[in-house]
Amino acid sequence: ASPRSVSARICRVKRLLSTGIVLAALAAAYGYVVIARENSHRDLIQRGDAAMAAGDLATAIEALSGAIALKDDSMIGYLMRGDAYRRRDELESALRDLRQAADIDPGATRPRELLGDVNYARHRDPPAADHYQAFVDVDDRSPRVLYKLALARYRFRMRGFYRTLMFMPMIMPDIVLGIGLLIFFVTIGFQLGL
């Protein structure tokens, strides 16, 4: 082999090695960005969940919006933000996000139930019944959703009373919890400081 051909081979090997190193560095950088984005998304979802649990819906919506900005195909982000909007009684925004969550994961039942709840709250019984039915088609063992389906689909006496009863925990969760705890403590004989 001539010195020129050996030198050419060495140059080719050097180019291949340098190209491989550059590609490996790019792959590592891309992997780092993807992992960092996924971690940020998870942190924002957790922050939104904690804010919702604390009743701070504005902070929850802000955190969940950040999560959606990082991953626009995040069903959980749209679902949770839609639920936060529903709790704030911003029903149009809730419908938009819950529809997006249902489109991202058509087999998920929770977006269907919440879509039914939002439509039911807007007195749109046929769409509410359709969403509850979509839930039941996937999982027919939920008495809560079967109850909601019956309320949305059928007309009967005292329907208004049952409608109010169904939404009472969503409207006044603290009052319902307080009454329940009062009954519990009275039942077990706990001395109340009244």
Side-chain angles (χ1 to χ4, degrees):
S2 71
R4 203 175 223 190
S5 67
V6 170
S7 173
R9 285 183 190 162
I10 291 174
C11 282
R12 273 190 250 137
V13 169
K14 284 181 180 179
R15 273 191 244 136
L16 284 174
L17 282 174
S18 62
T19 302
I21 291 170
V22 168
L23 288 175
L26 287 174
Y30 177 74
Y32 175 78
V33 168
V34 168
I35 290 170
R37 177 175 268 190
E38 187 64 34
N39 287 339
S40 294
H41 176 262
R42 187 182 62 246
D43 291 345
L44 287 168
I45 292 288
Q46 289 172 347
R47 198 175 318 153
D49 191 35
M52 282 181 69
D56 187 0
L57 298 176
T59 301
I61 289 170
E62 183 180 333
L64 295 167
S65 295
I68 291 168
L70 288 174
K71 268 181 89 174
D72 65 346
D73 63 343
S74 170
M75 190 280 281
I76 192 71
Y78 283 108
L79 174 68
M80 291 175 67
R81 189 173 74 175
D83 191 24
Y85 279 131
R86 179 186 64 86
R87 292 181 188 187
R88 282 180 61 164
D89 204 30
E90 295 179 28
L91 300 180
E92 287 301 320
S93 297
L95 279 175
R96 181 194 65 230
D97 280 355
L98 294 171
R99 283 184 187 128
Q100 186 67 29
D103 289 344
I104 291 170
D105 187 356
T109 55
R110 186 71 177 142
R112 300 288 178 206
E113 180 181 3
L114 291 177
L115 279 166
D117 291 350
V118 170
N119 279 295
Y120 194 77
R122 297 175 72 206
H123 300 285
R124 293 183 177 173
D125 293 347
D130 292 342
H131 290 295
Y132 293 139
Q133 184 63 52
F135 180 109
V136 170
D137 290 344
V138 175
D139 179 8
D140 62 354
R141 295 168 302 191
S142 174
R144 179 186 71 248
V145 176
L146 291 170
Y147 171 76
K148 292 176 181 182
L149 176 61
L151 284 178
R153 184 169 286 162
Y154 302 110
R155 304 281 179 247
F156 51 90
R157 275 188 306 142
M158 296 187 63
R159 183 171 182 261
F161 171 74
Y162 287 109
R163 176 183 219 124
T164 303
L165 186 66
M166 181 175 90
F167 284 103
M168 200 65 125
M170 287 189 288
I171 296 168
M172 299 182 292
D174 295 332
I175 293 172
V176 172
L177 178 63
I179 291 170
L181 286 172
L182 176 65
I183 292 169
F184 172 73
F185 287 128
V186 167
T187 302
I188 64 169
F190 188 77
Q191 183 64 33
L192 300 175
L194 298 175

